[in-house]
Amino acid sequence: MIFVAQKNHQIDPAKRLTEEAAQREMYEDWEGSFQAYEQLLDSRLQNENQSFPDSPAVGNTKSGAQKGLLRCLLKLGRLDSVVNQAYGMSKQDPMHGNDMHICAELLPYATEAAWRLGNWPVLDNLVNDLHDESSSDANERFQLSFGRTMHSLHAKTVRMISCLKDSRESIMSSLSSAARDGYTRSYPYLMQLHALREVESLSS
């Protein structure tokens, strides 16, 4: 039985790539994880009716692999590629067709890339695209709210205070649960709070 399971695993490239992408991402091998996600998406395009093998880190959907690929590009600093890939992936989505908007699942990654690039015209479009954030996780909600904060800072709009408040609330909800698991889990959220404080100082 074990031998059969191993044999099936060996002949299932999608499952192998899903596990490899998640494992490499866990160990912060962003280049290796990016390549695994890229291969996974290429294999998926060859058979649109095939589901991805389920993985806690990736999920079993095409959007899960797309988000993984964009996460890796952000970590690698390939910010222009994040924006271009997000538009390209959204254009392939039958729900969007030729619409020049980025789909909601990918919007947080494009938003972070846009403000880091200082591409304010693109960021201006992105922050006005999303109306429902219910499907986003805590980190994605922070990416969106911080993107709106940076947009408000650049545009010097009166929304700055409310954007800062939304960003801080999105961090605190995650920090309260992460703090129970120790400093290591809490550290990324503490850094996000520090970034918010710096933005607040610049705006005052």
Side-chain angles (χ1 to χ4, degrees):
M1 184 67 70
I2 296 175
F3 174 76
V4 172
Q6 289 176 338
K7 184 176 180 181
N8 288 339
H9 175 76
Q10 290 172 357
I11 63 174
D12 186 351
K15 183 174 182 178
R16 176 182 59 78
L17 286 168
T18 299
E19 293 179 353
E20 180 183 343
Q23 186 174 39
R24 287 181 180 275
E25 190 171 358
M26 181 176 66
Y27 287 106
E28 300 186 358
D29 176 7
W30 305 116
E31 185 63 48
S33 184
F34 166 75
Q35 292 175 7
Y37 280 125
E38 192 173 43
Q39 292 177 54
L40 182 59
L41 287 167
D42 285 346
S43 66
R44 174 63 169 83
L45 291 174
Q46 294 172 12
N47 185 356
E48 287 293 335
N49 296 318
Q50 178 186 352
S51 295
F52 287 112
D54 194 24
S55 164
V58 182
N60 63 350
T61 64
K62 183 176 181 179
S63 66
Q66 289 175 331
K67 289 196 285 186
L69 185 141
L70 295 180
R71 278 196 304 273
C72 294
L73 287 174
L74 280 173
K75 293 293 186 180
L76 291 166
R78 300 174 189 170
L79 304 179
D80 283 311
S81 294
V82 175
V83 176
N84 293 334
Q85 288 271 10
Y87 274 114
M89 291 170 177
S90 299
K91 195 172 182 179
Q92 293 172 1
D93 190 328
M95 295 294 292
H96 287 75
N98 291 322
D99 194 345
M100 290 304 293
H101 294 277
I102 293 177
C103 60
E105 294 89 347
L106 309 180
L107 195 55
Y109 307 93
T111 299
E112 180 176 337
W115 75 255
R116 286 172 61 183
L117 283 167
N119 192 332
W120 307 115
V122 169
L123 184 62
D124 186 57
N125 292 329
L126 296 177
V127 297
N128 294 314
D129 272 353
L130 187 64
H131 304 288
D132 180 16
E133 300 179 21
S134 59
S135 62
S136 302
D137 64 24
N139 190 58
E140 291 170 346
R141 287 194 295 274
F142 173 76
Q143 287 174 297
L144 291 166
S145 60
F146 193 77
R148 283 192 285 264
T149 300
M150 295 301 292
H151 176 263
S152 298
L153 177 65
H154 175 74
K156 298 180 173 61
T157 66
V158 294
R159 292 181 57 199
M160 182 70 188
I161 294 174
S162 64
C163 288
L164 281 167
K165 181 175 178 288
D166 290 343
S167 297
R168 188 171 285 108
E169 286 178 353
S170 71
I171 298 170
M172 294 307 297
S173 64
S174 302
L175 182 59
S176 60
S177 60
R180 291 192 290 268
D181 296 326
Y183 180 76
T184 302
R185 276 284 313 280
S186 304
Y187 182 74
Y189 304 111
L190 294 173
M191 292 303 296
Q192 290 174 353
L193 284 174
H194 180 69
L196 274 185
R197 187 69 190 93
E198 288 189 342
V199 171
E200 200 169 22
S201 298
L202 286 172
S203 66
S204 59

